């Protein structure tokens, strides 16, 4: 029991332990994102873009300007 207590003290009580927690969390969520992305691509492999679809990085607008004139100055 003392080994587990010592590990928890190191993990939450020291800078390297907390850094391991942060890096481990980033790696965990990266693995989850990759698995879910592959699963989604496998399910929707032949999805064609329709009028109702939107894209965060919309390539249709060539100028990059806003529709509002006061934003374009």
């Amino acid at each position: 029991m003392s080994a587990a207590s010592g590990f928890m003290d190191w993990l939450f009580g020291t800078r390297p332990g907390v850094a391991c927690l942060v890096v481990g969390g980033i790696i965990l969520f990266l693995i989850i994102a990759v698995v879910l992305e592959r699963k989604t691509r496998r399910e929707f492999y032949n999805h064609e873009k329709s009028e109702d679809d939107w894209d965060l990085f919309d390539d249709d607008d060539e100028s990059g300007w806003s529709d509002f004139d006061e934003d374009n100055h």
Side-chain angles (χ1 to χ4, degrees), residues 42-60:
R42 193 174 339 126
E43 187 172 337
F44 299 108
Y45 65 94
N46 61 352
H47 179 73
E48 294 183 17
K49 194 170 184 179
S50 68
E51 288 282 330
D52 296 334
D53 289 343
W54 63 275
D55 190 7
L56 183 61
F57 305 106
D58 193 13
D59 294 328
D60 296 339

mmCIF file of all heavy atoms in Angstrom, residues 42-60:
data_model
loop_
_atom_site.group_PDB
_atom_site.id
_atom_site.type_symbol
_atom_site.label_atom_id
_atom_site.label_comp_id
_atom_site.label_asym_id
_atom_site.label_seq_id
_atom_site.Cartn_x
_atom_site.Cartn_y
_atom_site.Cartn_z
ATOM 1 N N ARG A 42 -14.872 5.591 -42.093
ATOM 2 C CA ARG A 42 -15.278 4.280 -42.591
ATOM 3 C C ARG A 42 -16.792 4.242 -42.809
ATOM 4 O O ARG A 42 -17.279 3.638 -43.764
ATOM 5 C CB ARG A 42 -14.864 3.201 -41.585
ATOM 6 C CG ARG A 42 -14.957 1.817 -42.151
ATOM 7 C CD ARG A 42 -14.424 0.745 -41.215
ATOM 8 N NE ARG A 42 -13.513 1.216 -40.195
ATOM 9 C CZ ARG A 42 -13.659 1.000 -38.888
ATOM 10 N NH1 ARG A 42 -14.675 0.309 -38.452
ATOM 11 N NH2 ARG A 42 -12.786 1.453 -38.030
ATOM 12 N N GLU A 43 -17.542 4.915 -41.938
ATOM 13 C CA GLU A 43 -19.002 4.885 -42.062
ATOM 14 C C GLU A 43 -19.503 5.795 -43.182
ATOM 15 O O GLU A 43 -20.449 5.469 -43.874
ATOM 16 C CB GLU A 43 -19.628 5.313 -40.727
ATOM 17 C CG GLU A 43 -21.125 5.152 -40.694
ATOM 18 C CD GLU A 43 -21.693 5.383 -39.312
ATOM 19 O OE1 GLU A 43 -20.959 5.239 -38.325
ATOM 20 O OE2 GLU A 43 -22.879 5.712 -39.234
ATOM 21 N N PHE A 44 -18.859 6.952 -43.372
ATOM 22 C CA PHE A 44 -19.316 7.929 -44.367
ATOM 23 C C PHE A 44 -18.283 8.090 -45.483
ATOM 24 O O PHE A 44 -17.946 9.192 -45.888
ATOM 25 C CB PHE A 44 -19.565 9.280 -43.697
ATOM 26 C CG PHE A 44 -20.628 9.236 -42.635
ATOM 27 C CD1 PHE A 44 -20.289 9.331 -41.301
ATOM 28 C CD2 PHE A 44 -21.951 9.072 -42.979
ATOM 29 C CE1 PHE A 44 -21.261 9.278 -40.323
ATOM 30 C CE2 PHE A 44 -22.930 9.019 -42.006
ATOM 31 C CZ PHE A 44 -22.579 9.120 -40.674
ATOM 32 N N TYR A 45 -17.792 6.997 -46.031
ATOM 33 C CA TYR A 45 -16.727 7.052 -47.023
ATOM 34 C C TYR A 45 -17.163 7.656 -48.344
ATOM 35 O O TYR A 45 -16.367 8.215 -49.065
ATOM 36 C CB TYR A 45 -16.150 5.658 -47.262
ATOM 37 C CG TYR A 45 -17.119 4.681 -47.871
ATOM 38 C CD1 TYR A 45 -17.180 4.496 -49.236
ATOM 39 C CD2 TYR A 45 -17.985 3.944 -47.070
ATOM 40 C CE1 TYR A 45 -18.066 3.595 -49.797
ATOM 41 C CE2 TYR A 45 -18.874 3.054 -47.620
ATOM 42 C CZ TYR A 45 -18.914 2.883 -48.978
ATOM 43 O OH TYR A 45 -19.799 1.998 -49.520
ATOM 44 N N ASN A 46 -18.436 7.586 -48.695
ATOM 45 C CA ASN A 46 -18.895 8.089 -49.999
ATOM 46 C C ASN A 46 -19.830 9.285 -49.863
ATOM 47 O O ASN A 46 -20.658 9.529 -50.716
ATOM 48 C CB ASN A 46 -19.592 6.978 -50.788
ATOM 49 C CG ASN A 46 -20.815 6.450 -50.066
ATOM 50 O OD1 ASN A 46 -21.060 6.808 -48.923
ATOM 51 N ND2 ASN A 46 -21.568 5.592 -50.729
ATOM 52 N N HIS A 47 -19.678 10.042 -48.808
ATOM 53 C CA HIS A 47 -20.536 11.204 -48.583
ATOM 54 C C HIS A 47 -20.109 12.344 -49.502
ATOM 55 O O HIS A 47 -18.988 12.799 -49.458
ATOM 56 C CB HIS A 47 -20.443 11.660 -47.123
ATOM 57 C CG HIS A 47 -21.270 12.864 -46.818
ATOM 58 N ND1 HIS A 47 -22.628 12.806 -46.724
ATOM 59 C CD2 HIS A 47 -20.922 14.143 -46.599
ATOM 60 C CE1 HIS A 47 -23.092 14.006 -46.448
ATOM 61 N NE2 HIS A 47 -22.068 14.835 -46.363
ATOM 62 N N GLU A 48 -21.028 12.774 -50.361
ATOM 63 C CA GLU A 48 -20.752 13.895 -51.241
ATOM 64 C C GLU A 48 -21.319 15.160 -50.626
ATOM 65 O O GLU A 48 -22.369 15.148 -49.993
ATOM 66 C CB GLU A 48 -21.373 13.651 -52.613
ATOM 67 C CG GLU A 48 -20.742 12.489 -53.348
ATOM 68 C CD GLU A 48 -21.332 12.307 -54.728
ATOM 69 O OE1 GLU A 48 -21.973 13.245 -55.233
ATOM 70 O OE2 GLU A 48 -21.127 11.230 -55.287
ATOM 71 N N LYS A 49 -20.622 16.261 -50.831
ATOM 72 C CA LYS A 49 -21.043 17.535 -50.261
ATOM 73 C C LYS A 49 -22.315 18.031 -50.948
ATOM 74 O O LYS A 49 -22.402 18.059 -52.168
ATOM 75 C CB LYS A 49 -19.925 18.552 -50.424
ATOM 76 C CG LYS A 49 -20.110 19.780 -49.596
ATOM 77 C CD LYS A 49 -18.863 20.625 -49.608
ATOM 78 C CE LYS A 49 -19.039 21.797 -48.681
ATOM 79 N NZ LYS A 49 -17.846 22.626 -48.649
ATOM 80 N N SER A 50 -23.292 18.421 -50.139
ATOM 81 C CA SER A 50 -24.553 18.934 -50.677
ATOM 82 C C SER A 50 -24.674 20.418 -50.346
ATOM 83 O O SER A 50 -23.796 21.018 -49.743
ATOM 84 C CB SER A 50 -25.733 18.157 -50.088
ATOM 85 O OG SER A 50 -25.870 18.422 -48.718
ATOM 86 N N GLU A 51 -25.787 21.022 -50.727
ATOM 87 C CA GLU A 51 -26.042 22.438 -50.466
ATOM 88 C C GLU A 51 -26.115 22.730 -48.972
ATOM 89 O O GLU A 51 -25.730 23.797 -48.520
ATOM 90 C CB GLU A 51 -27.363 22.859 -51.133
ATOM 91 C CG GLU A 51 -27.291 22.953 -52.623
ATOM 92 C CD GLU A 51 -26.609 24.223 -53.072
ATOM 93 O OE1 GLU A 51 -26.687 25.241 -52.366
ATOM 94 O OE2 GLU A 51 -25.981 24.181 -54.137
ATOM 95 N N ASP A 52 -26.635 21.791 -48.187
ATOM 96 C CA ASP A 52 -26.830 22.013 -46.754
ATOM 97 C C ASP A 52 -25.565 21.797 -45.929
ATOM 98 O O ASP A 52 -25.517 22.169 -44.763
ATOM 99 C CB ASP A 52 -27.930 21.089 -46.221
ATOM 100 C CG ASP A 52 -29.283 21.400 -46.833
ATOM 101 O OD1 ASP A 52 -29.491 22.565 -47.239
ATOM 102 O OD2 ASP A 52 -30.122 20.491 -46.910
ATOM 103 N N ASP A 53 -24.541 21.171 -46.510
ATOM 104 C CA ASP A 53 -23.302 20.931 -45.785
ATOM 105 C C ASP A 53 -22.520 22.232 -45.627
ATOM 106 O O ASP A 53 -22.527 23.090 -46.502
ATOM 107 C CB ASP A 53 -22.423 19.916 -46.518
ATOM 108 C CG ASP A 53 -22.993 18.520 -46.446
ATOM 109 O OD1 ASP A 53 -23.866 18.277 -45.594
ATOM 110 O OD2 ASP A 53 -22.577 17.678 -47.253
ATOM 111 N N TRP A 54 -21.838 22.375 -44.529
ATOM 112 C CA TRP A 54 -20.979 23.529 -44.316
ATOM 113 C C TRP A 54 -19.608 23.036 -43.907
ATOM 114 O O TRP A 54 -19.425 21.923 -43.477
ATOM 115 C CB TRP A 54 -21.556 24.477 -43.271
ATOM 116 C CG TRP A 54 -21.681 23.860 -41.911
ATOM 117 C CD1 TRP A 54 -22.707 23.112 -41.444
ATOM 118 C CD2 TRP A 54 -20.718 23.909 -40.862
ATOM 119 N NE1 TRP A 54 -22.457 22.695 -40.171
ATOM 120 C CE2 TRP A 54 -21.241 23.177 -39.781
ATOM 121 C CE3 TRP A 54 -19.470 24.502 -40.730
ATOM 122 C CZ2 TRP A 54 -20.549 23.029 -38.593
ATOM 123 C CZ3 TRP A 54 -18.794 24.349 -39.538
ATOM 124 C CH2 TRP A 54 -19.340 23.629 -38.491
ATOM 125 N N ASP A 55 -18.642 23.902 -44.082
ATOM 126 C CA ASP A 55 -17.264 23.546 -43.784
ATOM 127 C C ASP A 55 -16.660 24.670 -42.964
ATOM 128 O O ASP A 55 -16.837 25.846 -43.285
ATOM 129 C CB ASP A 55 -16.499 23.360 -45.097
ATOM 130 C CG ASP A 55 -15.125 22.767 -44.883
ATOM 131 O OD1 ASP A 55 -14.815 22.389 -43.751
ATOM 132 O OD2 ASP A 55 -14.374 22.696 -45.860
ATOM 133 N N LEU A 56 -15.929 24.309 -41.933
ATOM 134 C CA LEU A 56 -15.291 25.312 -41.093
ATOM 135 C C LEU A 56 -14.267 26.100 -41.894
ATOM 136 O O LEU A 56 -14.117 27.298 -41.740
ATOM 137 C CB LEU A 56 -14.623 24.633 -39.888
ATOM 138 C CG LEU A 56 -13.969 25.535 -38.872
ATOM 139 C CD1 LEU A 56 -15.004 26.466 -38.254
ATOM 140 C CD2 LEU A 56 -13.295 24.721 -37.798
ATOM 141 N N PHE A 57 -13.553 25.444 -42.777
ATOM 142 C CA PHE A 57 -12.577 26.087 -43.633
ATOM 143 C C PHE A 57 -13.152 26.144 -45.041
ATOM 144 O O PHE A 57 -12.721 25.439 -45.938
ATOM 145 C CB PHE A 57 -11.267 25.304 -43.625
ATOM 146 C CG PHE A 57 -10.729 25.113 -42.240
ATOM 147 C CD1 PHE A 57 -10.799 23.886 -41.624
ATOM 148 C CD2 PHE A 57 -10.185 26.170 -41.548
ATOM 149 C CE1 PHE A 57 -10.323 23.708 -40.354
ATOM 150 C CE2 PHE A 57 -9.694 26.005 -40.265
ATOM 151 C CZ PHE A 57 -9.767 24.770 -39.667
ATOM 152 N N ASP A 58 -14.142 27.006 -45.222
ATOM 153 C CA ASP A 58 -14.881 27.094 -46.476
ATOM 154 C C ASP A 58 -13.974 27.599 -47.583
ATOM 155 O O ASP A 58 -13.431 28.691 -47.523
ATOM 156 C CB ASP A 58 -16.068 28.025 -46.305
ATOM 157 C CG ASP A 58 -17.052 27.921 -47.438
ATOM 158 O OD1 ASP A 58 -16.948 26.967 -48.223
ATOM 159 O OD2 ASP A 58 -17.933 28.791 -47.523
ATOM 160 N N ASP A 59 -13.789 26.806 -48.623
ATOM 161 C CA ASP A 59 -12.920 27.159 -49.737
ATOM 162 C C ASP A 59 -13.681 27.804 -50.885
ATOM 163 O O ASP A 59 -13.081 28.152 -51.896
ATOM 164 C CB ASP A 59 -12.200 25.923 -50.257
ATOM 165 C CG ASP A 59 -11.239 25.356 -49.241
ATOM 166 O OD1 ASP A 59 -10.669 26.129 -48.468
ATOM 167 O OD2 ASP A 59 -11.084 24.129 -49.242
ATOM 168 N N ASP A 60 -14.996 27.939 -50.757
ATOM 169 C CA ASP A 60 -15.792 28.497 -51.844
ATOM 170 C C ASP A 60 -15.574 29.992 -52.011
ATOM 171 O O ASP A 60 -15.668 30.523 -53.102
ATOM 172 C CB ASP A 60 -17.278 28.216 -51.631
ATOM 173 C CG ASP A 60 -17.582 26.729 -51.677
ATOM 174 O OD1 ASP A 60 -16.770 25.977 -52.259
ATOM 175 O OD2 ASP A 60 -18.624 26.328 -51.136
#
